Amino acid sequence: MSRQPRSTDKTARPSGRSASALAVDDLRRLCAFLYQRTGMIFGESKRYYIERRVADRMAATGARSFPAYFSHVEADAGEVEHLINIFTVNETYFYREEHQLLCLGRSLLPGIVQHKKPGDLVRIWSVPCSTGEEPYSIAIWLLENWPLVDAYNIEIVGSDIDTQVLQDAAVGDYGTRALSRLPPDVVERYFEPTGDGQRRLIEDLRESVRFTRANLVDTASVAAQGRFDIVFCRNVLIYFDDASRLLAANNLYDALRPGGYICLGHTESMARISKRFDLRRFEDAIVYQRPGEGA
């Protein structure tokens, strides 16, 4: 991966806000670039947030102006990856929206496995998965609460557009805040102290989840993941505009097997995005289903 050399002349390199202040056209250009590649909407209202992050990448690459930095972005796929990483939102913790985990065990999985035989594959997708708390929560919840967990071949995949969080997820180190919703006995069983105030998920659990890069507005990227019985896609569509939401919804529809379910964040509604899904009201949660008999 090529990198522009860092300048050693501190007087020549702009610093602070003056270095990263973007002209109106430059801001629009960057926001259009991010939108095209992520579906996320940025604009003038988030100028300070944008400029701070651009300043970090300009310093890292030695770029002395935004046009110089953007030329570097256009020429280096690795820098595109870094740029996208710094603009993703990664707020999460274990057992977030626990009612959906209850629904998973009490309603969704029973509906899925009625069309399968013992030993058959059940695929569950967490996208975006951030630093792994959500897919690992699914694995822990099933071990703790679903009596049939050993009767089927369960594959859990966690995907994100941010490559840095995928690396962090594979390591499996978490602090007190990430673990705060877990029962203390669960923390003791599945997380080992690392000596620096954090805990590391035990190896067996880390190996139970496979992590991949995926972009919800890139049809080929989603298709490469295969089809799933259940998808957790929470709190990402709120960052998209209508066109990106519809594209993501269509990609998610195609990623589901007939009869499969998708769980969204509590402020999100698939009914306002696409009519292709059936709304299903279960005891613990409202979810959306791809029509058709499960396979």
Side-chain angles (χ1 to χ4, degrees):
M1 183 185 305
S2 63
R3 284 282 186 265
Q4 293 184 7
R6 295 191 184 207
S7 170
T8 57
D9 180 0
K10 295 183 179 179
T11 63
R13 184 194 304 163
S15 60
R17 180 168 171 76
S18 62
S20 58
L22 301 179
V24 172
D25 286 347
D26 288 338
L27 181 66
R28 288 173 179 166
R29 186 182 183 192
L30 176 62
C31 292
F33 182 87
L34 290 169
Y35 173 74
Q36 182 182 16
R37 284 158 179 78
T38 71
M40 294 186 293
I41 299 296
F42 296 97
E44 185 66 42
S45 64
K46 296 183 178 179
R47 173 179 282 275
Y48 181 67
Y49 172 90
I50 294 167
E51 288 180 341
R52 287 188 64 184
R53 282 152 179 78
V54 168
D56 289 343
R57 292 313 307 163
M58 287 173 62
T61 59
R64 300 168 187 261
S65 67
F66 176 77
Y69 171 68
F70 199 75
S71 294
H72 178 47
V73 170
E74 292 180 313
D76 186 346
E79 186 56 33
V80 174
E81 184 176 298
H82 284 299
L83 183 64
I84 290 173
N85 287 356
I86 63 174
F87 279 99
T88 56
V89 179
N90 298 305
E91 170 66 22
T92 188
Y93 45 84
F94 282 87
Y95 278 17
R96 188 178 190 183
E97 300 196 32
E98 189 174 350
H99 64 285
Q100 289 185 345
L101 295 175
L102 285 165
C103 187
L104 174 67
R106 287 202 274 210
S107 302
L108 303 189
L109 283 170
I112 293 296
V113 300
Q114 68 177 332
H115 303 291
K116 296 181 182 288
K117 303 183 299 294
D120 280 354
L121 181 65
V122 176
R123 302 191 77 220
I124 302 175
W125 193 24
S126 168
V127 56
C129 69
S130 188
T131 44
E133 287 90 334
E134 182 173 297
Y136 287 142
S137 288
I138 294 168
I140 293 171
W141 180 269
L142 294 180
L143 286 172
E144 290 289 301
N145 297 282
W146 196 46
L148 297 179
V149 65
D150 293 323
Y152 297 90
N153 179 14
I154 299 173
E155 180 186 7
I156 302 173
V157 179
S159 301
D160 207 286
I161 194 174
D162 186 333
T163 55
Q164 182 57 57
V165 298
L166 291 173
Q167 293 178 32
D168 294 341
V171 173
D173 285 355
Y174 299 100
T176 302
R177 185 179 183 280
L179 302 172
S180 62
R181 297 289 186 91
L182 292 175
D185 61 313
V186 169
V187 174
E188 289 298 321
R189 276 199 298 279
Y190 296 110
F191 296 85
E192 301 169 332
T194 61
D196 58 358
Q198 292 194 307
R199 284 179 173 265
R200 177 168 296 173
L201 189 66
I202 61 173
E203 185 176 1
D204 283 352
L205 262 294
R206 296 199 308 273
E207 293 178 348
S208 72
V209 176
R210 181 166 61 89
F211 291 100
T212 66
R213 187 178 187 275
N215 181 347
L216 285 173
V217 296
D218 179 354
T219 301
S221 171
V222 174
Q225 311 304 317
R227 283 190 169 183
F228 296 87
D229 297 290
I230 299 169
V231 174
F232 287 82
C233 180
R234 305 192 293 200
N235 305 309
V236 64
L237 299 181
I238 55 176
Y239 297 102
F240 293 176
D241 67 357
D242 289 345
S244 295
R245 287 190 193 102
L246 181 58
L247 175 56
N250 287 333
N251 288 338
L252 288 166
Y253 181 93
D254 291 338
L256 279 173
R257 291 171 173 162
Y261 301 99
I262 182 167
C263 300
L264 300 180
H266 72 279
T267 64
E268 298 170 311
S269 170
M270 188 62 79
R272 294 196 292 266
I273 303 171
S274 171
K275 303 301 182 186
R276 302 179 74 186
F277 297 84
D278 293 334
L279 185 149
R280 298 293 307 277
R281 298 179 184 273
F282 291 107
E283 177 183 358
D284 301 296
I286 294 174
V287 304
Y288 300 89
Q289 185 176 29
R290 173 172 172 163
E293 183 176 295

